[in-house]
Amino acid sequence: DPNRVIAWQQQMIAYTKASESRYLRSNATPSKPLQARHPIAVQPFDEIAAGVWRTPSTACSVATPGGCRPDVINGHYTQVLTTKAAPFPATSGDNRLEVGAIRLIREFSNPMKVFGLNEDNITPLGGPKGTRTFKTDIPPTTPDARQFGLPDPVRAEVLEFLLHGGGSFDHFGYSFTEANAQKVRDQLGRIRAYLAGIKIHELIASAAGSTGAGWADVGPYPTNTSWDAGTLSRKHWAAMESRSFQNAGTGRSFMLYIHRSTPRCKGDNDDFNRQTDGLLHCAGVNLAFDAYDGRRRPTARYQETDLILHLGSQPGNFDYFWLDPTNPSAAPLAQGQIDWKPSPEFCRGSSPCKITSPRYPYDALLRIVQR
């Protein structure tokens, strides 16, 4: 019962804060051991809990635990979806788990809280609990179509989560010394260094709409029924923007991340073509705790063609960079300049303002900065 879980967690938050308050250092008590209170994290797995934890704290004490809220909201997996659980004694309602980390931050985010993702499918393990990538688009599907242990799905999770405003990511791998696990850590380290260097915390997550991110017409975020038959994938994305860019004259900047992933199914060799009933082919059923399956297409790469931009109501000059998501600090894959005019929207000799990405095998990262 989510409400009983919430009530218990609120009591734990209240008792933890009360206990630590006895050890907090101050000018009056300089010998106390705690310089600051520890942040408290909570893991919601359903809509009821996610809706409660995103709200601000009110009066929080052992006597009034109902006002207690965590500092950090944590998520597991990109998607969590279970069947309705049998109710516990003396409870009622729908007890299914339904909120994974990506949905949690997209639909329940709060700028006053840190959101984290700290467990997903594991590199370099094979099978249902391992990361896996569909490595070819050449029919027929072969028994070795799945390649396990590659960092691509992990990179997609971390970049999409962080560019939705996430603050913490832990891949939670079991095998520290494996070569593929080392590749994951190397990529995560490069991503962290790049995002810290551009002060990503000064940007805010872009709201999603029917055409994309508001400032970039990348297309709607996919649903469970979305499918691009031409690429046999779903186009997932996340974007960030400088605060109040719509009316700013200077200091505007933007980021956009795109990856092409497939639904994660129990069968290792699914081809994902639509069946005659219109549903996606999936041997068995989707895993309850989903991660991304990377759709890498070495023979027919993806491309963002004529991506329409909306960079605000004031004119300005911008530089744009298409970056390598495996190492964003490396030399750009492509770059150019934008001479933005807002009324009518115009740049690079065209109206509306458009740019095109280089071809990419799985994912792409765009950075736009006003000069």
Side-chain angles (χ1 to χ4, degrees):
D1 184 339
N3 292 298
R4 290 195 173 198
V5 174
I6 291 167
W8 177 80
Q9 290 174 324
Q10 288 172 325
Q11 292 173 2
M12 294 299 296
I13 293 171
Y15 275 102
T16 301
K17 288 185 174 182
S19 178
E20 285 202 333
S21 66
R22 302 199 301 269
Y23 302 96
L24 284 174
R25 189 180 309 164
S26 68
N27 292 334
T29 58
S31 62
K32 295 285 186 177
L34 282 181
Q35 185 173 1
R37 181 179 66 78
H38 288 85
I40 298 174
V42 163
Q43 164 76 63
F45 265 130
D46 58 81
E47 294 178 355
I48 295 174
V52 170
W53 296 133
R54 73 185 295 196
T55 60
S57 178
T58 55
C60 175
S61 69
V62 172
T64 59
C68 297
R69 299 291 185 273
D71 308 290
V72 179
I73 299 177
N74 185 65
H76 286 357
Y77 303 93
T78 58
Q79 175 176 286
V80 172
L81 185 62
T82 67
T83 57
K84 183 176 180 180
F88 292 103
T91 68
S92 63
D94 191 342
N95 298 318
R96 78 185 72 209
L97 307 182
E98 56 195 354
V99 179
I102 296 294
R103 184 177 172 217
L104 182 68
I105 196 166
R106 289 189 69 248
E107 298 183 19
F108 299 95
S109 61
N110 182 319
M112 300 305 295
K113 297 182 187 294
V114 175
F115 278 68
L117 195 170
N118 81 329
E119 183 176 349
D120 218 320
N121 292 80
I122 300 161
T123 305
L125 301 185
K129 294 307 298 179
T131 58
R132 61 192 185 189
T133 300
F134 199 89
K135 68 178 181 178
T136 179
D137 60 347
I138 303 174
T141 300
T142 60
D144 63 348
R146 289 285 182 209
Q147 189 167 354
F148 291 96
L150 297 184
D152 304 47
V154 185
R155 181 176 70 250
E157 290 164 7
V158 68
L159 278 169
E160 184 181 345
F161 187 76
L162 295 182
L163 293 190
H164 268 117
S168 170
F169 182 90
D170 180 358
H171 177 51
F172 190 60
Y174 291 148
S175 303
F176 186 81
T177 58
E178 294 280 352
N180 283 334
Q182 180 64 51
K183 291 178 182 177
V184 168
R185 293 195 301 277
D186 287 347
Q187 287 196 16
L188 296 185
R190 295 190 188 106
I191 290 169
R192 180 188 185 279
Y194 177 78
L195 295 181
I198 65 169
K199 298 181 179 179
I200 191 68
H201 61 278
E202 295 182 354
L203 304 182
I204 60 173
S206 301
S210 60
T211 61
W215 61 270
D217 289 354
V218 68
Y221 191 84
T223 67
N224 284 338
T225 59
S226 300
W227 192 244
D228 181 350
T231 63
L232 299 179
S233 68
R234 291 172 177 159
K235 183 167 76 170
H236 297 261
W237 59 267
M240 301 196 83
E241 61 198 39
S242 51
R243 296 178 186 274
S244 304
F245 82 88
Q246 295 89 343
N247 298 309
T250 60
R252 284 169 278 180
S253 62
F254 309 87
M255 289 204 72
L256 172 67
Y257 175 66
I258 301 166
H259 67 93
R260 307 280 186 147
S261 292
T262 65
R264 188 171 178 85
C265 303
K266 285 186 177 179
D268 289 338
N269 300 312
D270 296 324
D271 60 17
F272 298 110
N273 286 320
R274 286 196 185 275
Q275 302 176 104
T276 56
D277 58 6
L279 300 177
L280 296 177
H281 173 71
C282 202
V285 295
N286 286 54
L287 293 169
F289 300 95
D290 289 356
Y292 287 128
D293 272 10
R295 177 71 188 185
R296 294 164 63 245
R297 305 191 70 202
T299 62
R301 296 189 170 196
Y302 308 105
Q303 188 173 33
E304 304 307 309
T305 303
D306 291 336
L307 177 66
I308 297 177
L309 304 177
H310 314 278
L311 303 182
S313 63
Q314 301 299 317
N317 295 315
F318 296 80
D319 295 312
Y320 69 90
F321 309 90
W322 290 102
L323 305 173
D324 179 0
T326 69
N327 185 12
S329 297
L333 302 175
Q335 64 188 85
Q337 297 181 343
I338 297 172
D339 50 340
W340 170 253
K341 302 292 190 301
S343 183
E345 294 185 347
F346 177 93
C347 79
R348 297 168 54 82
S350 71
S351 180
C353 176
K354 302 176 183 178
I355 61 173
T356 294
S357 76
R359 294 185 178 273
Y360 59 92
Y362 174 56
D363 54 351
L365 185 61
L366 171 66
R367 170 81 165 142
I368 300 177
V369 184
Q370 187 174 10
R371 291 199 301 274

